[in-house]
Amino acid sequence: MASKVSGETVDLPSFFADLVRCETRLYNALNDRLREQHGIVTSQFEFLRHLRDHPGARVADLAAEFAVGIGATSKGVDRLERQGWVARMPNPSDRRSSLLELTDAGRQLVDVAEETFTGRLAELIAGALKASPMTAAAHALSELRSVLERDQIGTPTG
């Protein structure tokens, strides 16, 4: 079914299918490369990168950032902690939660894995998107994400 979006006719179900299938295929390809070269998967890389860029984040902060349930996020952090990449520190302002910090090993891993991640992503999209459409797509998706997050649409409960 086509709908008018900003004055243009867009087949929204096809747009959604393309968006989701592209995300899934990119995610899987990045998963394969990160697993092969670093022994981690994309979700672990994303958690580590977020913690590197936001020291002292809580499990709830990760859950909100990635629109994932608290339980699944906590289990993911438990796995990172068992590997020695993340440490839970007492939260001085709330004894019920912990602050998450990367260990030296976690910081080294995310830094080297980021090179792999970025390089592989560039390989995957280089032949498909030219700079101008890529910039437009990045801007459009950023705006859409901002609206969805602002209105708390698609936020898991629990």
Side-chain angles (χ1 to χ4, degrees), residues 18-59:
D18 288 343
L19 182 65
V20 170
R21 298 323 175 270
C22 285
E23 185 275 340
T24 301
R25 289 175 185 278
L26 289 171
Y27 201 92
N28 291 342
L30 292 165
N31 226 21
D32 293 345
R33 183 64 55 90
L34 288 168
R35 183 182 291 118
E36 170 189 302
Q37 293 192 2
H38 306 288
I40 61 173
V41 294
T42 307
S43 60
Q44 291 173 316
F45 166 73
E46 288 193 292
F47 276 13
L48 292 170
R49 189 172 65 116
H50 185 81
L51 292 173
R52 180 198 61 200
D53 297 343
H54 302 89
R58 301 165 305 136
V59 167

Side-chain angles (χ1 to χ4, degrees), residues 15 45-46 48 63 76 103 116 118 123 129-130 143 148:
F15 170 76
F45 166 73
E46 288 193 292
L48 292 170
T103 63
T116 300
T118 304
E123 288 171 15
L129 295 174
K130 305 293 182 254
E143 284 187 22
L148 294 171

Side-chain angles (χ1 to χ4, degrees), residues 32-144:
D32 293 345
R33 183 64 55 90
L34 288 168
R35 183 182 291 118
E36 170 189 302
Q37 293 192 2
H38 306 288
I40 61 173
V41 294
T42 307
S43 60
Q44 291 173 316
F45 166 73
E46 288 193 292
F47 276 13
L48 292 170
R49 189 172 65 116
H50 185 81
L51 292 173
R52 180 198 61 200
D53 297 343
H54 302 89
R58 301 165 305 136
V59 167
D61 300 325
L62 282 173
E65 172 65 20
F66 295 106
V68 178
I70 295 276
T73 303
S74 186
K75 287 178 185 176
V77 170
D78 289 345
R79 285 187 210 92
L80 297 175
E81 190 176 26
R82 279 194 301 274
Q83 293 294 328
W85 299 325
V86 171
R88 293 178 195 253
M89 312 301 280
N91 184 344
S93 63
D94 181 0
R95 293 185 346 200
R96 296 171 297 159
S97 71
S98 300
L99 303 178
L100 305 172
E101 299 286 342
L102 288 183
T103 63
D104 288 341
R107 192 168 289 101
Q108 289 172 356
L109 173 61
V110 73
D111 288 346
V112 70
E114 187 166 42
E115 291 179 31
T116 300
F117 178 90
T118 304
R120 181 64 174 139
L121 187 54
E123 288 171 15
L124 293 166
I125 60 179
L129 295 174
K130 305 293 182 254
S132 182
M134 171 99 81
T135 301
H139 182 72
L141 290 174
S142 178
E143 284 187 22
L144 177 58

